[in-house]
Amino acid sequence: MPQITVDYSAPLDRRGFALALHPLVVETVNATLDACKTRFREVEETVVGDGSTEDVIVHVEIALLHGRTDDAKIRLSKAVLALLPQYVKATENVRLSVEIRDLEVSYRKR
């Protein structure tokens, strides 16, 4: 925990983003740095709206252990959304989104 997943179709500095994101998560929701795990999934094809433009997307999902307040999750999502453009290499038709959610009670790790 936190489990971070980044789906992207835009050129993205993945390592740079993860290394900047982890301390931000630690500071915002009181996690530990070594608990942050980020995986990236490149999306081969996306269609936005009617498909008339070549939009690209980056969606960041951060799953946390239950107990963080909605306010903390909102602060984190805003901070991640502010950080993300620095690591996206495309500048036009870029759609960015962030979701902070609770891990299911069945979550276990070792």
Side-chain angles (χ1 to χ4, degrees):
M1 187 293 300
Q3 295 291 330
I4 305 164
T5 305
V6 181
D7 293 310
Y8 68 98
S9 67
L12 179 66
D13 174 2
R14 298 181 305 267
R15 184 170 180 77
F17 177 64
L19 292 175
L21 176 63
H22 293 174
L24 179 67
V25 172
V26 168
E27 177 183 320
T28 308
V29 295
N30 193 29
T32 61
L33 190 59
D34 65 335
C36 294
K37 297 173 233 31
T38 299
R39 63 183 174 272
F40 293 90
R41 300 186 300 201
E42 186 171 11
V43 177
E44 229 176 272
E45 182 177 1
T46 63
V47 178
V48 177
D50 66 3
S52 62
T53 62
E54 296 296 318
D55 290 9
V56 293
I57 64 161
V58 180
H59 177 73
V60 179
E61 179 183 287
I62 302 175
L64 304 168
L65 289 174
H66 183 74
R68 277 28 181 241
T69 65
D70 287 345
D71 184 53
K73 292 177 198 174
I74 290 168
R75 280 195 322 274
L76 181 56
S77 67
K78 287 179 179 180
V80 173
L81 202 53
L83 177 69
L84 192 51
Q86 299 171 53
Y87 298 92
V88 176
K89 297 176 183 175
T91 57
E92 294 190 26
N93 301 321
V94 179
R95 309 273 184 128
L96 306 177
S97 58
V98 177
E99 178 185 8
I100 313 300
R101 66 175 184 81
D102 290 333
L103 287 162
E104 294 296 324
V105 296
S106 61
Y107 174 78
R108 298 291 181 268
K109 68 177 185 175
R110 64 179 260 190

